Amino acid sequence: ARLLDGRRVVVTGAARERGIGRATAALFAAHGARVAILDLAGEAPQAAADVIGNGAIGVVADVTDAAACRTAIAEVVDAWGGVDVLVNNAGLTQRRGLLDVTAEDYELVSGVILKGTIQMSQAVLPHMPRGAASAIVNVSSLSALQGGGVFGGPHYCAAKAGVLGLTRAMAKEFGPQGIRVNAVAPGLTMTDFSRGANPDANKIEAGKAYPLGRPGRPDEMAQACLFLASEMSSYITGVTLDVNGGAFIH
Ligand code: NAD
């Protein structure tokens, strides 16, 4: 069955070819959704949208910039009249020890992950139908729960943990209006997130220690996002869904 027929979806950080956001946009489109691919200009979101098809559009947006979030969403709303589903996926990481985290590092990482999630949600929520199966999915990380262990430094772990608190607060505030808000916490996933600093071979090696014996694939994170975005999870809000092959069981 097509789980998102006719739904208007925004996925942030969805242009990179091997990324979780891109896989999510592609899976959602296969399930009948119209998807807006938001990403930095350098990632060419329109080119990604052209590949995905099914009416997908690419929109340039830097989620650290509140005005840019509003402008991007205005463009989507102009085209489609509203947004039914938002996936806050944009992220980046830095490998650092705590004593090496500069003010700029903190601003960048928490600006994209935590402030970006708040700002994009603020831009979208006024255009999200009330009482009509609307949903927000925030992409957190295993790092938020385990204190690292995937790739990010402590400021990354803190921002991703912040996203979980934000998810719970938003679930409480918007549940009465028919909007569900949940988080996915991916474990180590085969993307280009580390920009080459953690090659695929290392990830495959690290994955051998997990109960399921391998790292995750972007399409497996996309499936978890699909579950939380669709009516399959109609009575679920405020949860964190671990998708980590058993790497962290708690
Ligand atoms: P990725 O680098 O392929 O995707 C991240 C995307 O976010 C990129 O397209 C990037 O351009 C975009 N982005 C970065 N800064 C942005 C900004 N300011 N505005 C808009 N877009 C911006 O990596 P990925 O692994 O697919 O990461 C997707 C999400 O999954 C991230 O939030 C990441 O923290 C999370 N995650 C990844 C892993 C992993 O092992 N790969 C594990 C846990 C969580």
Side-chain angles (χ1 to χ4, degrees):
R2 281 156 51 116
L3 297 176
L4 294 174
D5 245 335
R7 314 248 97 197
R8 301 160 297 181
V9 176
V10 168
V11 186
T12 68
R16 292 201 105 206
E17 198 170 349
R18 294 210 309 161
I20 292 168
R22 174 76 167 260
T24 301
L27 181 65
F28 282 23
H31 277 270
R34 278 177 287 177
V35 185
I37 311 283
L38 270 58
D39 213 313
L40 299 170
E43 300 290 340
Q46 186 57 53
D50 291 344
V51 173
I52 284 167
N54 197 48
I57 56 175
V59 184
V60 172
D62 179 342
V63 301
T64 64
D65 178 347
C69 292
R70 286 192 297 270
T71 304
I73 295 307
E75 195 175 314
V76 176
V77 170
D78 267 357
W80 299 340
V83 176
D84 303 298
V85 173
L86 168 65
V87 181
N88 282 304
N89 167 78
L92 85 177
T93 190
Q94 298 166 330
R95 182 176 273 174
R96 298 270 191 283
L98 181 72
L99 299 184
D100 298 320
V101 175
T102 66
E104 290 73 25
D105 292 340
Y106 175 83
E107 280 304 322
L108 178 62
V109 169
S110 76
V112 175
I113 292 169
L114 187 49
K115 194 169 79 171
T117 298
I118 290 180
Q119 290 180 163
M120 194 51 78
S121 301
Q122 287 175 326
V124 167
L125 275 159
H127 307 286
M128 205 170 243
R130 299 319 200 240
S134 301
I136 297 178
V137 180
N138 294 326
V139 179
S140 179
S141 173
L142 167 63
S143 297
L145 306 164
Q146 195 178 228
V150 177
F151 186 78
H155 54 331
Y156 175 81
C157 298
K160 287 295 191 184
V163 166
L164 298 183
L166 176 68
T167 300
R168 294 167 189 159
M170 286 172 59
K172 285 194 173 173
E173 184 175 347
F174 293 99
Q177 300 175 37
I179 298 172
R180 297 179 302 104
V181 187
N182 291 291
V184 172
L188 184 61
T189 311
M190 297 292 283
T191 71
D192 296 316
F193 191 52
S194 65
R195 303 298 197 265
N198 189 17
D200 285 355
N202 292 9
K203 292 177 207 153
I204 290 164
E205 196 53 40
K208 288 182 180 159
Y210 304 160
L212 295 187
R214 60 175 178 84
R217 299 188 311 263
D219 62 283
E220 294 176 310
M221 305 307 148
Q223 289 173 37
C225 292
L226 174 63
F227 171 67
L228 293 174
S230 74
E231 286 300 277
M232 293 285 282
S233 61
S234 57
Y235 198 55
I236 297 177
T237 197
V239 309
T240 302
L241 180 55
D242 292 320
V243 191
N244 62 28
F248 183 61
I249 297 176
H250 56 110

